[in-house]
Amino acid sequence: MTKKMVPNTGMIDIEELGNPNAFRSKINLDVVPKFNRHGDNIDPIIRKIPIQSIDEYAFNPRQADNDHFEDIKNSIKEIGLQQRFSVVKNPDTDRYTLIKGGNTRLLAFKSLYRETGDTKFASINCIVEAWEGELNRTQAVIAHLIENEARGELILVDKAKALIELEQDFRKNLNDEKDSEESSESFSFDRRKDNYKKTSIFVNYLKDNGYSVSEGQLGLFRFTANKLTGNLDRFLNQGMGSPQIIKIRAVYNNLKSIVKESEVNDYHSLDEDFSDALKKYNKTRKPFEFEKL
């Protein structure tokens, strides 16, 4: 899980391996891709794949429909795909899945094939990355976050859900590593310090892999994913941003302080009441107004 992604280098078109003249011209023998005993590539390769054999990435952070779908489809129809898809092949299903963004472009490509029947949309050259199981999923989430954010197509709640799910997987991996290192030893630690340390490690991991987020932003995303989703979805899906969520979090933290000072420490009831209040407001048909929450 903590493995750093590395840029693809030295890729060649797999079809060129069958060309006897290729070795005297284009192909550097040092970068001929390696395959395992099952015939799956270990190094990245370029391969022509039937479009119907490629699946969208199921955990794409962006949940909202892309308003530019028709524009993207028309662009592909007129000038073709300008950036190759990166995919992995699942050895259990023999199907390919997008790994570094491109869900909308893939759907547009498939739509063009259905509508036109043109064979130029029947298959496409893709970069096939090595299958690495859970690591592929991590890479895909980060790549989709980067791509969607660069295009300005990601609302805060979608980003929050993706990052927190990724963080949970990351923390589980860290805990598994700690358990294996201290398998038979009992240990004690300051839970708060441990959480800060894990957060810092996760933030640095994202940064190493091309995605920047601060620990403060991550805290806001946690609050959004854990306290607001399921309770304030209508406003979140309309694009509610940081300023409103920061105000709502301030109210929640003030309520927590009141509960703590009362020495009742009934945080469960606080969460239930807070959730109920948000759900009631979520049913209103008026624009969001913090003062009326």
Side-chain angles (χ1 to χ4, degrees), residues 217-234:
Q217 288 172 316
L218 197 61
L220 190 69
F221 294 148
R222 278 198 211 103
F223 179 78
T224 303
N226 297 331
K227 301 297 181 185
L228 302 187
T229 55
N231 297 324
L232 209 59
D233 289 344
R234 186 169 73 85

Side-chain angles (χ1 to χ4, degrees), residues 36-203:
N36 63 22
R37 61 191 179 88
H38 302 295
D40 298 318
N41 58 295
I42 298 170
D43 296 330
I45 58 174
I46 297 172
R47 172 174 284 159
K48 197 164 205 175
I49 303 172
I51 197 69
Q52 300 301 347
S53 296
I54 307 173
D55 297 321
E56 304 91 62
Y57 181 64
F59 299 96
N60 184 14
R62 184 170 54 78
Q63 300 297 310
D65 292 335
N66 193 321
D67 295 335
H68 305 293
F69 181 79
E70 290 301 324
D71 293 336
I72 292 169
K73 191 167 77 170
N74 289 333
S75 173
I76 292 173
K77 187 176 182 179
E78 291 173 14
I79 61 176
L81 203 63
Q82 299 303 294
Q83 182 181 359
R84 283 193 175 110
F85 294 127
S86 287
V87 300
V88 289
K89 184 182 180 183
N90 188 326
D92 296 326
T93 64
D94 281 340
R95 291 190 63 79
Y96 295 88
T97 304
L98 292 179
I99 191 67
K100 293 182 178 176
N103 270 12
T104 301
R105 287 177 287 132
L106 177 62
L107 290 171
F109 211 90
K110 287 183 174 181
S111 178
L112 285 168
Y113 182 51
R114 285 195 305 270
E115 292 171 8
T116 67
D118 194 325
T119 54
K120 73 178 181 181
F121 299 120
S123 58
I124 188 168
N125 283 327
C126 299
I127 299 170
V128 183
E129 305 272 2
W131 171 259
E132 297 184 76
E134 183 62 27
L135 178 61
N136 287 139
R137 180 170 178 267
T138 303
Q139 292 175 341
V141 172
I142 294 174
H144 278 80
L145 280 167
I146 293 171
E147 181 180 59
N148 287 320
E149 197 157 314
R151 296 171 185 265
E153 297 170 350
L154 205 61
I155 57 176
L156 188 144
V157 65
D158 287 346
K159 188 192 302 185
K161 288 177 182 177
L163 279 171
I164 299 314
E165 185 176 345
L166 197 60
E167 184 188 26
Q168 289 169 349
D169 290 343
F170 186 87
R171 283 172 174 257
K172 181 179 181 301
N173 241 356
L174 284 183
N175 288 336
D176 290 344
E177 289 174 9
K178 178 180 284 188
D179 289 343
S180 64
E181 290 170 4
E182 308 178 20
S183 54
S184 58
E185 299 177 16
S186 60
F187 61 96
S188 62
F189 56 88
D190 185 316
R191 188 171 297 275
R192 181 171 292 182
K193 286 182 180 178
D194 187 66
N195 279 332
Y196 284 147
K197 183 178 179 182
K198 287 177 181 175
T199 297
S200 178
I201 293 171
F202 178 62
V203 166

